[in-house]
Amino acid sequence: MSAPSTRRVIIDTDPGLDDAVAILFALNSRRFDVLGLTSVAGNIGINITTKNAGRLLALLDRESIPVITGAAAPLARKGIEEAGIHGNDGLGGVVLPEPLAKPHGYAPFWMAEQLRANHAGSVDILALGPLTNIALLLRDHADAARRIGSLIVMGGVVHDKGNVGPHSEFNFACDPEAVDAVLRSGLDVTLIPLDVTRKVRASVEFVQALRTGIAGNAAADLISAYFQDGHESRPLHDPCVMLLALAPELFGIETRNVSVDLSDGPDAGALVAGMASVKIAMRVDVEGVLGLLAQGLA
Ligand code: BDR
Ligand code: CA
């Protein structure tokens, strides 16, 4: 039997507990050819998200994958930190080994180099945080950005309630101007909003079943840290990006015309009806994706 094919990806991320689980899955499943982890400020400041990316690579002994430092702040706003959920270290107090390699470069520039060095359309970007790096890539390296295969983004909310404003989601609320640039880019964009990611929940039993091997045990610790406040289950937002990349058939994807609220009001970053045509995951086979996640972490 031939080995399942791998996807060549750049993971743009602000780890972050659910980012960390998503990255562990991507690395451990061996279903992705990860060119690098580009960090962005989001859940916590850039120094910590960058370091956490390196820590995950050190844990799984994947130091050959580079970490590239990205934007320290959104394009035009102050940013919102989520220390309340992810802890002051971004990892809920879960201790991982220190990175063995120093981060390099500057993410938008490095992404452009990678996109130019690979066949057009052969590199996908998996975006787990605010879209600042991608917007800078579009602004400063438009020729390279056009070479992205698909851009799969955790962000936004359609019918459900927001987790920042009444209708706004954290990644999009952090940097609405970056969302606007991505929506207008004409790239092949798929959004995974809270409507779907909130359905993909880890229960205590699910977490217990993950406890096998280095990646599984670390993922279990990270998700457990997410339970601190006594919830019975927690949503696995960012892993949905990797899961959709591998198994789009487990999601119900629709094309919608949207734009983003660029006001300074409580719904800054909210998706509204507009002119940009993007794919949005609106349904998910929960059992299917949780099974795939557990398998990849084992
Ligand atoms: C998103 O916000 C962050 O806190 C999570 O890491 C995820 O990317 C969910 O709204
Ligand atoms: Ca994230």
Side-chain angles (χ1 to χ4, degrees):
M1 207 172 68
S2 62
S5 60
T6 56
R7 292 173 64 101
R8 186 165 293 176
V9 296
I10 294 169
I11 301 176
D12 190 59
T13 178
D14 62 334
L17 289 164
D18 57 329
D19 299 72
V21 175
I23 293 166
L24 289 172
F25 171 76
L27 297 174
N28 195 64
S29 67
R30 301 274 174 177
R31 298 284 305 277
F32 297 89
D33 175 7
V34 182
L35 297 180
L37 305 182
T38 52
S39 61
V40 65
N43 286 316
I44 197 102
I46 189 69
N47 292 337
I48 300 180
T49 61
T50 306
K51 213 158 188 201
N52 287 345
R55 290 183 167 118
L56 291 159
L57 294 170
L59 178 76
L60 296 190
D61 212 7
R62 300 289 292 278
E63 294 292 328
S64 59
I65 298 174
V67 174
I68 306 91
T69 309
L75 296 182
R77 305 180 186 233
K78 212 163 88 38
I80 314 162
E81 289 197 1
E82 277 286 26
I85 294 178
H86 301 266
N88 291 330
D89 60 355
L91 297 176
V94 175
V95 179
L96 299 180
E98 286 303 291
L100 295 176
K102 283 212 167 75
H104 40 120
Y106 180 53
F109 182 81
W110 179 88
M111 284 174 168
E113 281 182 332
Q114 298 302 312
L115 289 161
R116 291 188 192 113
N118 285 279
H119 288 298
S122 69
V123 176
D124 297 334
I125 297 189
L126 306 181
L128 314 182
L131 292 171
T132 320
N133 288 334
I134 322 284
L136 292 169
L137 171 72
L138 283 160
R139 188 191 72 187
D140 298 338
H141 311 277
D143 63 304
R146 277 195 293 275
R147 299 169 72 85
I148 295 173
S150 28
L151 171 58
I152 308 178
V153 176
M154 190 283 127
V157 60
V158 178
H159 300 304
D160 223 345
K161 65 174 171 25
N163 60 3
V164 173
H167 306 100
S168 66
E169 178 279 333
F170 178 81
N171 287 340
F172 282 14
C174 275
D175 199 343
E177 284 70 23
V179 178
D180 187 49
V182 166
L183 293 179
R184 289 168 183 276
S185 67
L187 291 174
D188 176 9
V189 179
T190 305
L191 305 182
I192 314 182
L194 288 177
D195 309 64
V196 156
T197 64
R198 279 194 180 125
K199 294 196 171 83
V200 181
R201 305 188 78 84
S203 62
V204 175
E205 296 72 36
F206 178 81
V207 173
Q208 279 314 323
L210 289 181
R211 290 204 174 278
T212 152
I214 297 177
N217 272 299
D221 289 345
L222 290 158
I223 302 171
S224 302
Y226 220 10
F227 275 97
Q228 281 158 353
D229 45 4
H231 285 86
E232 282 177 12
S233 67
R234 292 298 275 161
L236 298 170
H237 304 294
D238 292 337
C240 287
V241 172
M242 281 57 183
L243 294 163
L244 186 141
L246 283 188
E249 68 281 3
L250 296 176
F251 293 80
I253 299 172
E254 298 175 5
T255 301
R256 290 183 176 236
N257 292 326
V258 292
S259 84
V260 60
D261 182 331
L262 293 173
S263 73
D264 288 324
D267 263 339
L271 287 173
V272 293
M275 296 299 284
S277 173
V278 289
K279 290 181 268 181
I280 307 189
M282 293 303 299
R283 293 174 304 285
V284 57
D285 169 353
V286 175
E287 214 177 298
V289 296
L290 286 175
L292 184 57
L293 181 64
Q295 204 185 330
L297 286 166

